[in-house]
Amino acid sequence: NAGVTQTPKFRVLKTGQSMTLLCAQDMNHEYMYWYRQDPGMGLRLIHYSVGEGTTAKGEVPDGYNVSRLKKQNFLLGLESAAPSQTSVYFCASRSHQGFDNQPQHFGDGTRLSIL
Amino acid sequence: DQQVKQNSPSLSVQEGRISILNCDYTNSMFDYFLWYKKYPAEGPTFLISISSIKDKNEDGRFTVFLNKSAKHLSLHIVPSQPGDSAVYFCAASEKAAGNKLTFGGGTRVLVKP
């Protein structure tokens, strides 16, 4: 019963390097989300997707790109990492079926440090 | 400008007593509110929610109250247990905006045995 799985769990990058964070869900959910959590600021939405092949910007999209080539996967890319992107990144998914406000299910996060 | 605020960063309570967590919001278009619980090194897990058409929702030891006129909601945990020690996030969504969640900054709860 995996739910939402994030890979990797930890990563240290140097400024200017690129990397991709992977989110995989096995619940057949339509909607997927990427958040970042910084101390005292709760979770802020970076990008989201309402279905395979679609993506949209959230509250803090600058410096990130995303892709949803398969329904079960949502990738978050950092093209040129900056120290301001040091954060904990959470992926979430939710069903579109039933009532509109199905809760989001979260992965356990990726802790990313950029030196 | 934070649309959802949790003004108490931490709360300490004795086991068996009531924990009351508060959350304020500014966007009157929010129509659904949720509470999430988060343990260290884990993702947030859904706890309880309430629609804007209601003023109370109860699930076991957890009750959420909504005061729309004051743009305020609260989470009551009764009785508090040591396993309730965690960070609690308030979140709000607006159907017209695609039900995206806006989170508060969180309240760390410590339940003392």
PDB file of all heavy atoms in Angstrom, chain A residues 33 35 37 40-43 45 48 90 94 99-101 103-104 106-108, chain B residues 2 32 34 36 38 41-44 46 89 93 95 98-101 103-105:
ATOM      1  N   TYR A  33       0.232  17.370  -7.207  1.00  0.00           N
ATOM      2  CA  TYR A  33       0.706  18.678  -6.762  1.00  0.00           C
ATOM      3  C   TYR A  33       2.154  18.572  -6.277  1.00  0.00           C
ATOM      4  O   TYR A  33       2.557  17.566  -5.724  1.00  0.00           O
ATOM      5  CB  TYR A  33      -0.146  19.177  -5.581  1.00  0.00           C
ATOM      6  CG  TYR A  33      -1.633  19.170  -5.819  1.00  0.00           C
ATOM      7  CD1 TYR A  33      -2.378  18.001  -5.632  1.00  0.00           C
ATOM      8  CD2 TYR A  33      -2.297  20.327  -6.206  1.00  0.00           C
ATOM      9  CE1 TYR A  33      -3.746  17.993  -5.841  1.00  0.00           C
ATOM     10  CE2 TYR A  33      -3.666  20.331  -6.416  1.00  0.00           C
ATOM     11  CZ  TYR A  33      -4.386  19.157  -6.230  1.00  0.00           C
ATOM     12  OH  TYR A  33      -5.747  19.160  -6.442  1.00  0.00           O
ATOM     13  N   TYR A  35       4.628  20.846  -3.666  1.00  0.00           N
ATOM     14  CA  TYR A  35       4.731  21.923  -2.687  1.00  0.00           C
ATOM     15  C   TYR A  35       6.166  22.011  -2.186  1.00  0.00           C
ATOM     16  O   TYR A  35       6.919  21.051  -2.230  1.00  0.00           O
ATOM     17  CB  TYR A  35       3.857  21.636  -1.457  1.00  0.00           C
ATOM     18  CG  TYR A  35       2.373  21.587  -1.684  1.00  0.00           C
ATOM     19  CD1 TYR A  35       1.744  20.392  -2.049  1.00  0.00           C
ATOM     20  CD2 TYR A  35       1.590  22.718  -1.497  1.00  0.00           C
ATOM     21  CE1 TYR A  35       0.373  20.345  -2.241  1.00  0.00           C
ATOM     22  CE2 TYR A  35       0.210  22.678  -1.680  1.00  0.00           C
ATOM     23  CZ  TYR A  35      -0.379  21.489  -2.044  1.00  0.00           C
ATOM     24  OH  TYR A  35      -1.734  21.440  -2.223  1.00  0.00           O
ATOM     25  N   GLN A  37       8.074  23.295   1.519  1.00  0.00           N
ATOM     26  CA  GLN A  37       7.831  23.725   2.890  1.00  0.00           C
ATOM     27  C   GLN A  37       9.078  24.381   3.441  1.00  0.00           C
ATOM     28  O   GLN A  37      10.144  23.752   3.495  1.00  0.00           O
ATOM     29  CB  GLN A  37       7.440  22.560   3.807  1.00  0.00           C
ATOM     30  CG  GLN A  37       7.074  23.050   5.198  1.00  0.00           C
ATOM     31  CD  GLN A  37       7.014  21.939   6.235  1.00  0.00           C
ATOM     32  OE1 GLN A  37       7.322  20.786   5.963  1.00  0.00           O
ATOM     33  NE2 GLN A  37       6.585  22.286   7.423  1.00  0.00           N
ATOM     34  N   GLY A  40       8.192  27.949   9.193  1.00  0.00           N
ATOM     35  CA  GLY A  40       7.226  28.984   9.540  1.00  0.00           C
ATOM     36  C   GLY A  40       6.302  29.423   8.429  1.00  0.00           C
ATOM     37  O   GLY A  40       5.476  30.309   8.621  1.00  0.00           O
ATOM     38  N   MET A  41       6.416  28.804   7.254  1.00  0.00           N
ATOM     39  CA  MET A  41       5.614  29.277   6.111  1.00  0.00           C
ATOM     40  C   MET A  41       4.632  28.242   5.608  1.00  0.00           C
ATOM     41  O   MET A  41       3.998  28.446   4.590  1.00  0.00           O
ATOM     42  CB  MET A  41       6.529  29.706   4.972  1.00  0.00           C
ATOM     43  CG  MET A  41       7.439  30.844   5.333  1.00  0.00           C
ATOM     44  SD  MET A  41       8.251  31.554   3.911  1.00  0.00           S
ATOM     45  CE  MET A  41       6.882  32.375   3.116  1.00  0.00           C
ATOM     46  N   GLY A  42       4.512  27.121   6.298  1.00  0.00           N
ATOM     47  CA  GLY A  42       3.605  26.106   5.810  1.00  0.00           C
ATOM     48  C   GLY A  42       4.041  25.572   4.461  1.00  0.00           C
ATOM     49  O   GLY A  42       5.209  25.661   4.080  1.00  0.00           O
ATOM     50  N   LEU A  43       3.111  25.021   3.718  1.00  0.00           N
ATOM     51  CA  LEU A  43       3.397  24.472   2.405  1.00  0.00           C
ATOM     52  C   LEU A  43       2.910  25.444   1.341  1.00  0.00           C
ATOM     53  O   LEU A  43       1.797  25.970   1.428  1.00  0.00           O
ATOM     54  CB  LEU A  43       2.682  23.122   2.212  1.00  0.00           C
ATOM     55  CG  LEU A  43       3.310  21.907   2.900  1.00  0.00           C
ATOM     56  CD1 LEU A  43       3.010  21.898   4.384  1.00  0.00           C
ATOM     57  CD2 LEU A  43       2.821  20.633   2.253  1.00  0.00           C
ATOM     58  N   LEU A  45       2.331  26.001  -2.866  1.00  0.00           N
ATOM     59  CA  LEU A  45       2.142  25.249  -4.094  1.00  0.00           C
ATOM     60  C   LEU A  45       3.066  25.751  -5.188  1.00  0.00           C
ATOM     61  O   LEU A  45       3.086  26.943  -5.501  1.00  0.00           O
ATOM     62  CB  LEU A  45       0.680  25.359  -4.543  1.00  0.00           C
ATOM     63  CG  LEU A  45       0.286  24.578  -5.778  1.00  0.00           C
ATOM     64  CD1 LEU A  45       0.428  23.080  -5.533  1.00  0.00           C
ATOM     65  CD2 LEU A  45      -1.148  24.929  -6.176  1.00  0.00           C
ATOM     66  N   TYR A  48       1.022  22.236 -10.329  1.00  0.00           N
ATOM     67  CA  TYR A  48       0.085  21.153 -10.159  1.00  0.00           C
ATOM     68  C   TYR A  48      -0.392  20.647 -11.522  1.00  0.00           C
ATOM     69  O   TYR A  48      -0.114  21.264 -12.555  1.00  0.00           O
ATOM     70  CB  TYR A  48      -1.104  21.566  -9.276  1.00  0.00           C
ATOM     71  CG  TYR A  48      -1.987  22.633  -9.867  1.00  0.00           C
ATOM     72  CD1 TYR A  48      -3.206  22.307 -10.454  1.00  0.00           C
ATOM     73  CD2 TYR A  48      -1.625  23.974  -9.802  1.00  0.00           C
ATOM     74  CE1 TYR A  48      -4.028  23.284 -10.980  1.00  0.00           C
ATOM     75  CE2 TYR A  48      -2.436  24.958 -10.325  1.00  0.00           C
ATOM     76  CZ  TYR A  48      -3.634  24.608 -10.901  1.00  0.00           C
ATOM     77  OH  TYR A  48      -4.449  25.595 -11.425  1.00  0.00           O
ATOM     78  N   PHE A  90       7.276  18.440  -1.066  1.00  0.00           N
ATOM     79  CA  PHE A  90       6.239  17.428  -0.897  1.00  0.00           C
ATOM     80  C   PHE A  90       5.416  17.318  -2.172  1.00  0.00           C
ATOM     81  O   PHE A  90       5.048  18.313  -2.786  1.00  0.00           O
ATOM     82  CB  PHE A  90       5.304  17.779   0.264  1.00  0.00           C
ATOM     83  CG  PHE A  90       5.937  17.614   1.613  1.00  0.00           C
ATOM     84  CD1 PHE A  90       6.431  18.708   2.298  1.00  0.00           C
ATOM     85  CD2 PHE A  90       6.037  16.360   2.190  1.00  0.00           C
ATOM     86  CE1 PHE A  90       7.020  18.566   3.534  1.00  0.00           C
ATOM     87  CE2 PHE A  90       6.624  16.208   3.431  1.00  0.00           C
ATOM     88  CZ  PHE A  90       7.123  17.304   4.099  1.00  0.00           C
ATOM     89  N   ARG A  94      -4.691  13.636  -5.420  1.00  0.00           N
ATOM     90  CA  ARG A  94      -6.058  13.430  -4.931  1.00  0.00           C
ATOM     91  C   ARG A  94      -6.949  12.966  -6.071  1.00  0.00           C
ATOM     92  O   ARG A  94      -6.672  13.207  -7.241  1.00  0.00           O
ATOM     93  CB  ARG A  94      -6.622  14.691  -4.289  1.00  0.00           C
ATOM     94  CG  ARG A  94      -7.076  15.789  -5.228  1.00  0.00           C
ATOM     95  CD  ARG A  94      -7.810  16.869  -4.437  1.00  0.00           C
ATOM     96  NE  ARG A  94      -8.233  17.962  -5.288  1.00  0.00           N
ATOM     97  CZ  ARG A  94      -9.416  18.016  -5.893  1.00  0.00           C
ATOM     98  NH1 ARG A  94     -10.291  17.041  -5.749  1.00  0.00           N
ATOM     99  NH2 ARG A  94      -9.732  19.061  -6.641  1.00  0.00           N
ATOM    100  N   PHE A  99     -17.108  13.865  -4.340  1.00  0.00           N
ATOM    101  CA  PHE A  99     -17.277  15.283  -4.084  1.00  0.00           C
ATOM    102  C   PHE A  99     -15.987  16.027  -4.412  1.00  0.00           C
ATOM    103  O   PHE A  99     -14.913  15.456  -4.499  1.00  0.00           O
ATOM    104  CB  PHE A  99     -17.685  15.526  -2.633  1.00  0.00           C
ATOM    105  CG  PHE A  99     -16.690  15.024  -1.615  1.00  0.00           C
ATOM    106  CD1 PHE A  99     -15.744  15.873  -1.054  1.00  0.00           C
ATOM    107  CD2 PHE A  99     -16.712  13.705  -1.177  1.00  0.00           C
ATOM    108  CE1 PHE A  99     -14.838  15.419  -0.106  1.00  0.00           C
ATOM    109  CE2 PHE A  99     -15.818  13.246  -0.233  1.00  0.00           C
ATOM    110  CZ  PHE A  99     -14.878  14.102   0.301  1.00  0.00           C
ATOM    111  N   ASP A 100     -16.141  17.332  -4.593  1.00  0.00           N
ATOM    112  CA  ASP A 100     -15.024  18.132  -5.086  1.00  0.00           C
ATOM    113  C   ASP A 100     -13.853  18.182  -4.129  1.00  0.00           C
ATOM    114  O   ASP A 100     -12.718  18.352  -4.542  1.00  0.00           O
ATOM    115  CB  ASP A 100     -15.499  19.568  -5.371  1.00  0.00           C
ATOM    116  CG  ASP A 100     -16.330  19.635  -6.626  1.00  0.00           C
ATOM    117  OD1 ASP A 100     -16.098  18.822  -7.529  1.00  0.00           O
ATOM    118  OD2 ASP A 100     -17.219  20.502  -6.704  1.00  0.00           O
ATOM    119  N   ASN A 101     -14.137  18.064  -2.852  1.00  0.00           N
ATOM    120  CA  ASN A 101     -13.086  18.318  -1.877  1.00  0.00           C
ATOM    121  C   ASN A 101     -12.483  17.054  -1.298  1.00  0.00           C
ATOM    122  O   ASN A 101     -12.342  16.926  -0.092  1.00  0.00           O
ATOM    123  CB  ASN A 101     -13.627  19.215  -0.774  1.00  0.00           C
ATOM    124  CG  ASN A 101     -13.924  20.603  -1.299  1.00  0.00           C
ATOM    125  OD1 ASN A 101     -13.033  21.322  -1.726  1.00  0.00           O
ATOM    126  ND2 ASN A 101     -15.176  20.978  -1.301  1.00  0.00           N
ATOM    127  N   PRO A 103      -9.621  14.942   0.028  1.00  0.00           N
ATOM    128  CA  PRO A 103      -8.359  15.405   0.606  1.00  0.00           C
ATOM    129  C   PRO A 103      -7.166  14.969  -0.226  1.00  0.00           C
ATOM    130  O   PRO A 103      -7.213  13.952  -0.909  1.00  0.00           O
ATOM    131  CB  PRO A 103      -8.341  14.750   1.987  1.00  0.00           C
ATOM    132  CG  PRO A 103      -9.211  13.551   1.853  1.00  0.00           C
ATOM    133  CD  PRO A 103     -10.279  13.932   0.881  1.00  0.00           C
ATOM    134  N   GLN A 104      -6.117  15.732  -0.145  1.00  0.00           N
ATOM    135  CA  GLN A 104      -4.882  15.372  -0.816  1.00  0.00           C
ATOM    136  C   GLN A 104      -4.086  14.393   0.040  1.00  0.00           C
ATOM    137  O   GLN A 104      -4.071  14.493   1.265  1.00  0.00           O
ATOM    138  CB  GLN A 104      -4.051  16.624  -1.095  1.00  0.00           C
ATOM    139  CG  GLN A 104      -4.704  17.575  -2.084  1.00  0.00           C
ATOM    140  CD  GLN A 104      -3.876  18.809  -2.365  1.00  0.00           C
ATOM    141  OE1 GLN A 104      -2.671  18.852  -2.096  1.00  0.00           O
ATOM    142  NE2 GLN A 104      -4.513  19.830  -2.901  1.00  0.00           N
ATOM    143  N   PHE A 106      -0.300  12.917   0.737  1.00  0.00           N
ATOM    144  CA  PHE A 106       1.067  13.400   0.589  1.00  0.00           C
ATOM    145  C   PHE A 106       2.106  12.288   0.665  1.00  0.00           C
ATOM    146  O   PHE A 106       1.920  11.289   1.371  1.00  0.00           O
ATOM    147  CB  PHE A 106       1.387  14.421   1.690  1.00  0.00           C
ATOM    148  CG  PHE A 106       0.747  15.760   1.472  1.00  0.00           C
ATOM    149  CD1 PHE A 106      -0.563  15.987   1.831  1.00  0.00           C
ATOM    150  CD2 PHE A 106       1.471  16.800   0.897  1.00  0.00           C
ATOM    151  CE1 PHE A 106      -1.152  17.222   1.619  1.00  0.00           C
ATOM    152  CE2 PHE A 106       0.886  18.039   0.690  1.00  0.00           C
ATOM    153  CZ  PHE A 106      -0.427  18.242   1.050  1.00  0.00           C
ATOM    154  N   GLY A 107       3.213  12.503  -0.054  1.00  0.00           N
ATOM    155  CA  GLY A 107       4.389  11.681   0.132  1.00  0.00           C
ATOM    156  C   GLY A 107       5.169  12.149   1.350  1.00  0.00           C
ATOM    157  O   GLY A 107       4.790  13.126   2.011  1.00  0.00           O
ATOM    158  N   ASP A 108       6.266  11.463   1.634  1.00  0.00           N
ATOM    159  CA  ASP A 108       7.037  11.772   2.843  1.00  0.00           C
ATOM    160  C   ASP A 108       8.084  12.859   2.644  1.00  0.00           C
ATOM    161  O   ASP A 108       8.836  13.177   3.568  1.00  0.00           O
ATOM    162  CB  ASP A 108       7.708  10.510   3.375  1.00  0.00           C
ATOM    163  CG  ASP A 108       6.723   9.589   4.062  1.00  0.00           C
ATOM    164  OD1 ASP A 108       5.648  10.074   4.464  1.00  0.00           O
ATOM    165  OD2 ASP A 108       7.019   8.391   4.174  1.00  0.00           O
TER     166      ASP A 108
ATOM    167  N   GLN B   2      -0.083  36.434   3.644  1.00  0.00           N
ATOM    168  CA  GLN B   2      -0.594  35.113   3.961  1.00  0.00           C
ATOM    169  C   GLN B   2      -2.097  35.147   4.085  1.00  0.00           C
ATOM    170  O   GLN B   2      -2.648  35.914   4.894  1.00  0.00           O
ATOM    171  CB  GLN B   2       0.024  34.617   5.276  1.00  0.00           C
ATOM    172  CG  GLN B   2       1.438  34.080   5.123  1.00  0.00           C
ATOM    173  CD  GLN B   2       1.927  33.395   6.379  1.00  0.00           C
ATOM    174  OE1 GLN B   2       2.074  34.040   7.411  1.00  0.00           O
ATOM    175  NE2 GLN B   2       2.161  32.109   6.308  1.00  0.00           N
ATOM    176  N   TYR B  32     -13.861  25.689   1.708  1.00  0.00           N
ATOM    177  CA  TYR B  32     -13.603  24.391   2.321  1.00  0.00           C
ATOM    178  C   TYR B  32     -12.317  24.498   3.126  1.00  0.00           C
ATOM    179  O   TYR B  32     -11.352  25.110   2.671  1.00  0.00           O
ATOM    180  CB  TYR B  32     -13.465  23.310   1.244  1.00  0.00           C
ATOM    181  CG  TYR B  32     -13.723  21.916   1.732  1.00  0.00           C
ATOM    182  CD1 TYR B  32     -15.009  21.486   2.026  1.00  0.00           C
ATOM    183  CD2 TYR B  32     -12.684  21.014   1.903  1.00  0.00           C
ATOM    184  CE1 TYR B  32     -15.260  20.206   2.476  1.00  0.00           C
ATOM    185  CE2 TYR B  32     -12.921  19.732   2.349  1.00  0.00           C
ATOM    186  CZ  TYR B  32     -14.204  19.332   2.625  1.00  0.00           C
ATOM    187  OH  TYR B  32     -14.453  18.075   3.073  1.00  0.00           O
ATOM    188  N   LEU B  34      -9.506  22.436   5.859  1.00  0.00           N
ATOM    189  CA  LEU B  34      -8.996  21.130   6.263  1.00  0.00           C
ATOM    190  C   LEU B  34      -7.911  21.315   7.320  1.00  0.00           C
ATOM    191  O   LEU B  34      -7.241  22.341   7.378  1.00  0.00           O
ATOM    192  CB  LEU B  34      -8.371  20.392   5.067  1.00  0.00           C
ATOM    193  CG  LEU B  34      -9.225  20.207   3.816  1.00  0.00           C
ATOM    194  CD1 LEU B  34      -9.040  21.380   2.852  1.00  0.00           C
ATOM    195  CD2 LEU B  34      -8.848  18.917   3.104  1.00  0.00           C
ATOM    196  N   TYR B  36      -4.491  19.203   8.656  1.00  0.00           N
ATOM    197  CA  TYR B  36      -3.545  18.129   8.413  1.00  0.00           C
ATOM    198  C   TYR B  36      -2.622  18.022   9.619  1.00  0.00           C
ATOM    199  O   TYR B  36      -2.289  19.013  10.264  1.00  0.00           O
ATOM    200  CB  TYR B  36      -2.706  18.405   7.163  1.00  0.00           C
ATOM    201  CG  TYR B  36      -3.384  18.081   5.863  1.00  0.00           C
ATOM    202  CD1 TYR B  36      -4.264  18.978   5.270  1.00  0.00           C
ATOM    203  CD2 TYR B  36      -3.166  16.871   5.227  1.00  0.00           C
ATOM    204  CE1 TYR B  36      -4.887  18.681   4.073  1.00  0.00           C
ATOM    205  CE2 TYR B  36      -3.783  16.559   4.016  1.00  0.00           C
ATOM    206  CZ  TYR B  36      -4.637  17.474   3.450  1.00  0.00           C
ATOM    207  OH  TYR B  36      -5.261  17.176   2.266  1.00  0.00           O
ATOM    208  N   LYS B  38       1.183  16.466  10.905  1.00  0.00           N
ATOM    209  CA  LYS B  38       2.459  16.066  10.333  1.00  0.00           C
ATOM    210  C   LYS B  38       3.447  15.675  11.435  1.00  0.00           C
ATOM    211  O   LYS B  38       3.741  16.464  12.336  1.00  0.00           O
ATOM    212  CB  LYS B  38       3.046  17.213   9.496  1.00  0.00           C
ATOM    213  CG  LYS B  38       4.339  16.816   8.783  1.00  0.00           C
ATOM    214  CD  LYS B  38       4.927  17.957   8.035  1.00  0.00           C
ATOM    215  CE  LYS B  38       6.224  17.533   7.351  1.00  0.00           C
ATOM    216  NZ  LYS B  38       7.215  16.963   8.294  1.00  0.00           N
ATOM    217  N   ALA B  41       9.735  14.010   9.506  1.00  0.00           N
ATOM    218  CA  ALA B  41      10.213  13.139   8.426  1.00  0.00           C
ATOM    219  C   ALA B  41       9.082  12.383   7.723  1.00  0.00           C
ATOM    220  O   ALA B  41       9.338  11.382   7.036  1.00  0.00           O
ATOM    221  CB  ALA B  41      11.257  12.152   8.937  1.00  0.00           C
ATOM    222  N   GLU B  42       7.852  12.835   7.903  1.00  0.00           N
ATOM    223  CA  GLU B  42       6.732  12.249   7.189  1.00  0.00           C
ATOM    224  C   GLU B  42       5.949  13.347   6.480  1.00  0.00           C
ATOM    225  O   GLU B  42       6.091  14.535   6.795  1.00  0.00           O
ATOM    226  CB  GLU B  42       5.798  11.497   8.133  1.00  0.00           C
ATOM    227  CG  GLU B  42       6.428  10.284   8.782  1.00  0.00           C
ATOM    228  CD  GLU B  42       5.427   9.528   9.646  1.00  0.00           C
ATOM    229  OE1 GLU B  42       4.229   9.861   9.599  1.00  0.00           O
ATOM    230  OE2 GLU B  42       5.857   8.613  10.371  1.00  0.00           O
ATOM    231  N   GLY B  43       5.122  12.954   5.521  1.00  0.00           N
ATOM    232  CA  GLY B  43       4.259  13.925   4.881  1.00  0.00           C
ATOM    233  C   GLY B  43       3.036  14.223   5.727  1.00  0.00           C
ATOM    234  O   GLY B  43       2.688  13.463   6.627  1.00  0.00           O
ATOM    235  N   PRO B  44       2.358  15.341   5.447  1.00  0.00           N
ATOM    236  CA  PRO B  44       1.121  15.646   6.166  1.00  0.00           C
ATOM    237  C   PRO B  44       0.059  14.583   5.890  1.00  0.00           C
ATOM    238  O   PRO B  44      -0.018  14.045   4.780  1.00  0.00           O
ATOM    239  CB  PRO B  44       0.696  16.997   5.574  1.00  0.00           C
ATOM    240  CG  PRO B  44       1.932  17.573   4.966  1.00  0.00           C
ATOM    241  CD  PRO B  44       2.723  16.399   4.494  1.00  0.00           C
ATOM    242  N   PHE B  46      -4.162  13.823   6.282  1.00  0.00           N
ATOM    243  CA  PHE B  46      -5.449  14.473   6.448  1.00  0.00           C
ATOM    244  C   PHE B  46      -6.087  14.073   7.778  1.00  0.00           C
ATOM    245  O   PHE B  46      -6.091  12.902   8.167  1.00  0.00           O
ATOM    246  CB  PHE B  46      -6.367  14.089   5.295  1.00  0.00           C
ATOM    247  CG  PHE B  46      -7.795  14.512   5.481  1.00  0.00           C
ATOM    248  CD1 PHE B  46      -8.153  15.844   5.407  1.00  0.00           C
ATOM    249  CD2 PHE B  46      -8.779  13.564   5.730  1.00  0.00           C
ATOM    250  CE1 PHE B  46      -9.463  16.232   5.590  1.00  0.00           C
ATOM    251  CE2 PHE B  46     -10.086  13.941   5.911  1.00  0.00           C
ATOM    252  CZ  PHE B  46     -10.438  15.282   5.843  1.00  0.00           C
ATOM    253  N   PHE B  89      -1.393  21.606  10.492  1.00  0.00           N
ATOM    254  CA  PHE B  89      -1.556  22.642   9.484  1.00  0.00           C
ATOM    255  C   PHE B  89      -3.034  22.837   9.181  1.00  0.00           C
ATOM    256  O   PHE B  89      -3.769  21.875   8.947  1.00  0.00           O
ATOM    257  CB  PHE B  89      -0.833  22.260   8.191  1.00  0.00           C
ATOM    258  CG  PHE B  89       0.660  22.280   8.287  1.00  0.00           C
ATOM    259  CD1 PHE B  89       1.369  21.105   8.478  1.00  0.00           C
ATOM    260  CD2 PHE B  89       1.352  23.469   8.183  1.00  0.00           C
ATOM    261  CE1 PHE B  89       2.748  21.114   8.565  1.00  0.00           C
ATOM    262  CE2 PHE B  89       2.737  23.497   8.271  1.00  0.00           C
ATOM    263  CZ  PHE B  89       3.436  22.308   8.469  1.00  0.00           C
ATOM    264  N   SER B  93      -9.424  26.015   0.806  1.00  0.00           N
ATOM    265  CA  SER B  93      -9.510  25.915  -0.647  1.00  0.00           C
ATOM    266  C   SER B  93     -10.733  26.649  -1.163  1.00  0.00           C
ATOM    267  O   SER B  93     -11.694  26.898  -0.428  1.00  0.00           O
ATOM    268  CB  SER B  93      -9.533  24.458  -1.109  1.00  0.00           C
ATOM    269  OG  SER B  93     -10.753  23.840  -0.764  1.00  0.00           O
ATOM    270  N   LYS B  95     -13.373  26.438  -4.436  1.00  0.00           N
ATOM    271  CA  LYS B  95     -13.786  25.609  -5.570  1.00  0.00           C
ATOM    272  C   LYS B  95     -13.556  26.328  -6.891  1.00  0.00           C
ATOM    273  O   LYS B  95     -13.084  25.741  -7.860  1.00  0.00           O
ATOM    274  CB  LYS B  95     -15.258  25.231  -5.434  1.00  0.00           C
ATOM    275  CG  LYS B  95     -15.750  24.313  -6.543  1.00  0.00           C
ATOM    276  CD  LYS B  95     -17.190  23.888  -6.312  1.00  0.00           C
ATOM    277  CE  LYS B  95     -17.666  22.977  -7.428  1.00  0.00           C
ATOM    278  NZ  LYS B  95     -19.064  22.517  -7.193  1.00  0.00           N
ATOM    279  N   GLY B  98     -10.154  25.982  -8.439  1.00  0.00           N
ATOM    280  CA  GLY B  98      -9.654  24.641  -8.688  1.00  0.00           C
ATOM    281  C   GLY B  98      -9.336  23.839  -7.447  1.00  0.00           C
ATOM    282  O   GLY B  98      -8.636  22.828  -7.498  1.00  0.00           O
ATOM    283  N   ASN B  99      -9.870  24.279  -6.315  1.00  0.00           N
ATOM    284  CA  ASN B  99      -9.676  23.548  -5.066  1.00  0.00           C
ATOM    285  C   ASN B  99      -8.220  23.415  -4.651  1.00  0.00           C
ATOM    286  O   ASN B  99      -7.847  22.494  -3.926  1.00  0.00           O
ATOM    287  CB  ASN B  99     -10.309  22.150  -5.134  1.00  0.00           C
ATOM    288  CG  ASN B  99     -11.817  22.213  -5.199  1.00  0.00           C
ATOM    289  OD1 ASN B  99     -12.445  22.963  -4.456  1.00  0.00           O
ATOM    290  ND2 ASN B  99     -12.415  21.457  -6.091  1.00  0.00           N
ATOM    291  N   LYS B 100      -7.387  24.339  -5.109  1.00  0.00           N
ATOM    292  CA  LYS B 100      -5.989  24.317  -4.653  1.00  0.00           C
ATOM    293  C   LYS B 100      -5.961  24.701  -3.171  1.00  0.00           C
ATOM    294  O   LYS B 100      -6.723  25.537  -2.710  1.00  0.00           O
ATOM    295  CB  LYS B 100      -5.153  25.297  -5.469  1.00  0.00           C
ATOM    296  CG  LYS B 100      -5.110  24.950  -6.954  1.00  0.00           C
ATOM    297  CD  LYS B 100      -4.123  25.808  -7.705  1.00  0.00           C
ATOM    298  CE  LYS B 100      -4.473  27.269  -7.685  1.00  0.00           C
ATOM    299  NZ  LYS B 100      -5.682  27.533  -8.488  1.00  0.00           N
ATOM    300  N   LEU B 101      -5.050  24.085  -2.435  1.00  0.00           N
ATOM    301  CA  LEU B 101      -4.967  24.334  -0.998  1.00  0.00           C
ATOM    302  C   LEU B 101      -4.012  25.485  -0.689  1.00  0.00           C
ATOM    303  O   LEU B 101      -2.923  25.570  -1.263  1.00  0.00           O
ATOM    304  CB  LEU B 101      -4.485  23.078  -0.264  1.00  0.00           C
ATOM    305  CG  LEU B 101      -5.437  21.878  -0.243  1.00  0.00           C
ATOM    306  CD1 LEU B 101      -4.802  20.730   0.531  1.00  0.00           C
ATOM    307  CD2 LEU B 101      -6.770  22.257   0.359  1.00  0.00           C
ATOM    308  N   PHE B 103      -2.101  26.863   2.686  1.00  0.00           N
ATOM    309  CA  PHE B 103      -1.785  26.378   4.024  1.00  0.00           C
ATOM    310  C   PHE B 103      -1.383  27.512   4.960  1.00  0.00           C
ATOM    311  O   PHE B 103      -0.778  28.507   4.551  1.00  0.00           O
ATOM    312  CB  PHE B 103      -0.619  25.385   3.976  1.00  0.00           C
ATOM    313  CG  PHE B 103      -0.989  24.025   3.485  1.00  0.00           C
ATOM    314  CD1 PHE B 103      -1.038  23.746   2.133  1.00  0.00           C
ATOM    315  CD2 PHE B 103      -1.285  23.007   4.382  1.00  0.00           C
ATOM    316  CE1 PHE B 103      -1.371  22.486   1.669  1.00  0.00           C
ATOM    317  CE2 PHE B 103      -1.617  21.736   3.936  1.00  0.00           C
ATOM    318  CZ  PHE B 103      -1.661  21.481   2.578  1.00  0.00           C
ATOM    319  N   GLY B 104      -1.695  27.304   6.237  1.00  0.00           N
ATOM    320  CA  GLY B 104      -1.142  28.135   7.284  1.00  0.00           C
ATOM    321  C   GLY B 104       0.259  27.652   7.631  1.00  0.00           C
ATOM    322  O   GLY B 104       0.724  26.637   7.112  1.00  0.00           O
ATOM    323  N   GLY B 105       0.923  28.391   8.519  1.00  0.00           N
ATOM    324  CA  GLY B 105       2.313  28.089   8.846  1.00  0.00           C
ATOM    325  C   GLY B 105       2.518  26.933   9.818  1.00  0.00           C
ATOM    326  O   GLY B 105       3.648  26.500  10.029  1.00  0.00           O
TER     327      GLY B 105
END
